[in-house]
Amino acid sequence: MAAAKGDTKVAVFDCEEDVAVALAKYIADLSDKCAKEKGVFSVVLSGGSLIDTMRKLVEQPFVDTIDWSKWHVVWLDERVVRKNDSESNYKLAYDGFFCKVQIPPNNIYAINDELPAPEDAADDYEACLKTLVEKGIIELSKASGFPKFDLMLVGMGPDGHVASLFPRHPLLQERNRWVTYIKDSPKPPPERITFTFPVINSSANIALVLTGPELAHAVHIALGNQQTSSDLLPVQMVSPEGKLTWFLDQAAASKIKAT
C-alpha cells in the first residue's frame, strides 16, 4: 500500500523483509542516478535497526551492480565513544555494511574519536562537512544555505525522536549550526553529536525507515488523522526540500487510521 501527498510518499509493506527489499531497490536506483548525473552519491546514515534493514544491498543483484566508489558516507548522529565501542554507530555500520561492500575507506567520514568532549566532536564534524562542501562532494542548498545530501536514511525511536533530537529538547529549535551536541540524551549514552533540523530538511531525499510494533504509536501520531498532543514529535518536523518516503511494515503502520 502506498499513499502520496505532494513530495511525500508513505509505503506500507507486509513485513520487514519486504521493507528491506524495497529499500535496497530505492537506494540502488538513487545511487545509479546520482553517480551518472554528478559523479558522487552523498549518503547520511543513522543507527538503530537501519543498518540491518539495508542488508539486501550487500546481496545480489545490488552488491555487484552499485558503483560503490561514488559513495560518500556521513552520520546523522553519533555517540561520543570510541569507534570500536559497542555503542558506536560507526561500528554498527562497519560490522553490518561497510566490511561487505567496496566503498573507499577515505569516503567514509566518521567522527574523530580522539575528541572526548562532545562540543569539540561536533565542531570538528561540522568542519569536516564544510571541507566536503569546498571539495564539491556535498552541495549547498540554494534555498537554505545548508548542506544538501543526496540521501538521508533516518530511523525513529518509540518516542518519535530522530537523529539525537528528542521530544521537547531545546536542540529542536537550533537554526544556525550544522552539527551540534547533546550531553543529556534521555537515551544512553548521554553524550552525542547530531545534525540539526536545517541540515536534515535541506536534503534532496529522505527515507524514514520504520519497522516493528513498538513504533506504531508514534507513527500513528505522525501520520494518523488525529493529533493527540500540542507538541510535535521530532519525526513530524522532518520536511525536506526534496522528497520524503516513509518505509513502513504492517506492524509499524498498524495504528494508522484509514482515510
Side-chain angles (χ1 to χ4, degrees):
M1 178 181 75
K5 182 179 180 181
D7 283 333
T8 298
K9 178 182 179 181
V10 179
V12 180
F13 301 90
D14 286 341
C15 60
E16 189 275 344
E17 176 75 5
D18 290 347
V19 172
V21 172
L23 182 65
K25 186 177 187 310
Y26 167 87
I27 295 172
D29 287 348
L30 265 181
S31 174
D32 184 62
K33 179 176 182 289
C34 291
K36 289 177 178 176
E37 292 180 355
K38 307 191 307 171
V40 296
F41 182 45
S42 59
V43 182
V44 182
L45 297 182
S46 55
S49 61
L50 174 70
I51 298 300
D52 184 55
T53 311
M54 292 171 62
R55 64 187 179 275
K56 297 298 181 180
L57 287 174
V58 306
E59 302 175 4
Q60 298 296 349
F62 305 110
V63 69
D64 287 338
T65 55
I66 290 174
D67 187 350
W68 299 106
S69 70
K70 301 297 192 292
W71 281 48
H72 291 262
V73 182
V74 301
W75 270 263
L76 179 63
D77 66 327
E78 179 60 286
R79 292 84 179 271
V80 183
V81 296
R82 291 288 191 175
K83 292 187 185 75
N84 60 357
D85 191 291
S86 61
E87 298 278 9
S88 166
N89 284 339
Y90 171 85
K91 177 175 171 54
L92 179 69
Y94 182 84
D95 291 347
F97 183 57
F98 295 139
C99 69
K100 303 174 183 180
V101 296
Q102 299 299 313
I103 300 173
N106 288 340
N107 291 6
I108 299 170
Y109 308 96
I111 72 166
N112 183 352
D113 62 357
E114 299 290 335
L115 300 172
E119 52 267 47
D120 294 337
D123 287 345
D124 183 79
Y125 208 58
E126 183 166 317
C128 172
L129 298 187
K130 289 180 176 178
T131 298
L132 295 179
V133 170
E134 291 169 2
K135 292 180 177 179
I137 293 169
I138 302 170
E139 301 174 1
L140 288 180
S141 163
K142 294 179 181 178
S144 71
F146 286 89
K148 184 172 186 175
F149 292 94
D150 296 320
L151 173 61
M152 193 169 287
L153 293 157
V154 183
M156 181 190 74
D159 62 353
H161 84 265
V162 294
S164 286
L165 299 166
F166 293 91
R168 295 174 293 280
H169 195 281
L171 287 186
L172 297 180
Q173 307 308 319
E174 173 60 53
R175 293 294 178 264
N176 298 312
R177 294 291 305 265
W178 294 12
V179 182
T180 190
Y181 64 92
I182 180 171
K183 291 185 174 182
D184 57 351
S185 166
K187 180 181 178 182
E191 296 187 338
R192 301 155 175 246
I193 69 169
T194 182
F195 282 11
T196 60
F197 268 115
V199 175
I200 292 171
N201 287 334
S202 294
S203 300
N205 298 278
I206 293 180
L208 276 168
V209 185
L210 314 177
T211 62
E214 69 278 4
L215 303 184
H217 180 66
V219 170
H220 163 65
I221 292 174
L223 292 177
N225 292 334
Q226 294 181 347
Q227 179 69 46
T228 60
S229 171
S230 60
D231 292 325
L232 285 177
L233 296 178
V235 71
Q236 292 174 279
M237 297 172 66
V238 176
S239 181
E241 289 179 16
K243 298 178 180 179
L244 172 61
T245 305
W246 293 68
F247 288 83
L248 307 172
D249 65 358
Q250 287 286 359
S254 62
K255 294 185 178 180
I256 301 175
K257 292 184 178 180
T259 55

